[in-house]
Amino acid sequence: MVKVTTSVLREMKRRGEKISALTAYDAPTAKILDEAGLDVILVGDSVGNVKLGYDTTVPVTVEQMLHHTQAARRGVSRALLVADLPYLSYHLSLGETKLNAGRLFKEGGAEAVKLEGGLEVAATVKALVEINIPVMGHLGLTPQAIHKIGGYKIQGKTPESAEKMITDAKILEGAGVFALVLECVPPDLARTITAKVSVPTIGIGAGPHCDGQILVTDDILGLTGSSAPGFAARYADLGRTIRSAVSKYRRDVRSGRYPRRTSRR
Ligand code: KIV
């Protein structure tokens, strides 16, 4: 078993090997993803939408991220475990940012943190890398800025915004990120950024040219229903499977068939 590290990911980019990544927020799911051989497991702040019932990722706290990171940590042994820094945990001061990232790293067991933004977070990235916390960047559609962006839509469509994103990617690379998530970016722009930076790009709704792909696990397993974005391929319909199993259980309890029938089906 080769443990995935930030340098393994860089080497994968060099060799043209695609990086596979998904989210996990709890130990059993993280264990299944790890056993399936994923390279990166992200404890995303998407936990807010996917598990905690919020409309956006904005309300997610450091304490919640810590709780879910610790849980995921217990399930992962091979993949690189990355945790999202939630909104307002890296915006106020470098001291507070180091403390929050340090908690996910030290108490949570994350091997890296992810944060959103370009030029405006470059000093933050540098400060974290200086204290030996690897940082993953995130450009394009940045969900923590959803109210400013005004909706979940493709970013970088105009020549100016595309140029800015390329500049931001280079700045983040210079600041020391080890990888870069590109979310909801036109495929050609994702291809350009991927060619211009030496660190791996991980796309989500950004076409096929990135060095890797990431999706929200619950979306590809059919657990998020109609709120799953269109680019998230569905590999299973667990929502339907669970509904059907639970209805069967309910019927069995009502009819007295359970607990009389206890054998596994
Ligand atoms: O929070 C999240 O899940 C993310 C994605 C890139 C999947 O940031």
Side-chain angles (χ1 to χ4, degrees), residues 135-253:
V135 180
M136 181 181 268
H138 186 156
L139 291 173
L141 175 59
T142 47
Q144 292 174 13
I146 198 62
H147 297 302
K148 185 166 96 177
I149 293 170
Y152 293 93
K153 46 194 178 197
I154 297 191
Q155 301 298 301
K157 286 210 291 197
T158 65
E160 300 74 34
S161 59
E163 208 43 60
K164 182 179 177 331
M165 209 183 296
I166 294 167
T167 306
D168 278 342
K170 293 294 292 174
I171 288 171
L172 289 176
E173 179 188 26
V177 296
F178 71 88
L180 200 47
V181 167
L182 298 177
E183 178 162 357
C184 292
V185 170
D188 283 347
L189 176 56
R191 179 181 11 214
T192 303
I193 294 174
T194 301
K196 280 183 184 277
V197 295
S198 60
V199 297
T201 59
I202 319 272
I204 170 162
H209 310 298
C210 293
D211 298 305
Q213 298 290 330
I214 185 163
L215 284 169
V216 169
T217 298
D218 298 58
D219 289 340
I220 68 162
L221 296 182
L223 285 166
T224 45
S226 58
S227 54
F231 56 74
R234 183 175 283 187
Y235 287 85
D237 193 350
L238 294 193
R240 193 162 151 184
T241 304
I242 293 169
R243 252 188 312 275
S244 143
V246 171
S247 304
K248 209 174 260 174
Y249 167 72
R250 176 179 166 272
R251 279 199 305 275
D252 282 358
V253 169

Side-chain angles (χ1 to χ4, degrees), residues 5-265:
T5 61
T6 55
S7 35
V8 166
L9 298 182
R10 192 181 272 264
E11 186 53 23
M12 286 176 79
K13 173 170 179 131
R14 208 189 55 74
R15 289 202 298 255
E17 270 175 47
K18 294 281 186 185
I19 296 163
S20 56
L22 282 172
T23 60
Y25 320 103
D26 62 73
T29 308
K31 187 164 190 291
I32 292 169
L33 302 191
D34 196 57
E35 287 168 353
L38 281 184
D39 302 306
V40 177
I41 295 177
L42 171 71
V43 187
D45 59 353
S46 52
V47 68
N49 313 66
V50 174
K51 298 295 185 196
L52 303 178
Y54 299 136
D55 288 337
T56 73
T57 58
V58 173
V60 176
T61 64
V62 172
E63 292 306 324
Q64 287 166 336
M65 287 307 301
L66 191 56
H67 175 77
H68 288 281
T69 303
Q70 286 168 335
R73 174 71 278 164
R74 293 179 202 117
V76 177
S77 38
R78 177 188 167 272
L80 183 79
L81 185 68
V82 183
D84 260 338
L85 278 168
Y87 178 67
L88 221 53
S89 68
Y90 57 99
H91 305 81
L92 302 179
S93 70
L94 289 184
E96 227 174 289
T97 302
K98 287 180 191 171
L99 187 66
N100 289 327
R103 289 193 70 198
L104 294 179
F105 197 60
K106 190 169 168 164
E107 297 171 43
E111 291 155 323
V113 297
K114 176 166 79 60
L115 49 76
E116 300 179 3
L119 169 66
E120 68 281 12
V121 295
T124 307
V125 170
K126 223 166 164 217
L128 293 178
V129 174
E130 265 165 24
I131 59 163
N132 305 322
I133 301 180
V135 180
M136 181 181 268
H138 186 156
L139 291 173
L141 175 59
T142 47
Q144 292 174 13
I146 198 62
H147 297 302
K148 185 166 96 177
I149 293 170
Y152 293 93
K153 46 194 178 197
I154 297 191
Q155 301 298 301
K157 286 210 291 197
T158 65
E160 300 74 34
S161 59
E163 208 43 60
K164 182 179 177 331
M165 209 183 296
I166 294 167
T167 306
D168 278 342
K170 293 294 292 174
I171 288 171
L172 289 176
E173 179 188 26
V177 296
F178 71 88
L180 200 47
V181 167
L182 298 177
E183 178 162 357
C184 292
V185 170
D188 283 347
L189 176 56
R191 179 181 11 214
T192 303
I193 294 174
T194 301
K196 280 183 184 277
V197 295
S198 60
V199 297
T201 59
I202 319 272
I204 170 162
H209 310 298
C210 293
D211 298 305
Q213 298 290 330
I214 185 163
L215 284 169
V216 169
T217 298
D218 298 58
D219 289 340
I220 68 162
L221 296 182
L223 285 166
T224 45
S226 58
S227 54
F231 56 74
R234 183 175 283 187
Y235 287 85
D237 193 350
L238 294 193
R240 193 162 151 184
T241 304
I242 293 169
R243 252 188 312 275
S244 143
V246 171
S247 304
K248 209 174 260 174
Y249 167 72
R250 176 179 166 272
R251 279 199 305 275
D252 282 358
V253 169
R254 285 172 80 106
S255 68
R257 204 160 175 213
Y258 182 85
R260 271 199 292 273
R261 183 176 73 184
T262 52
S263 64
R264 287 186 180 209
R265 290 177 264 179

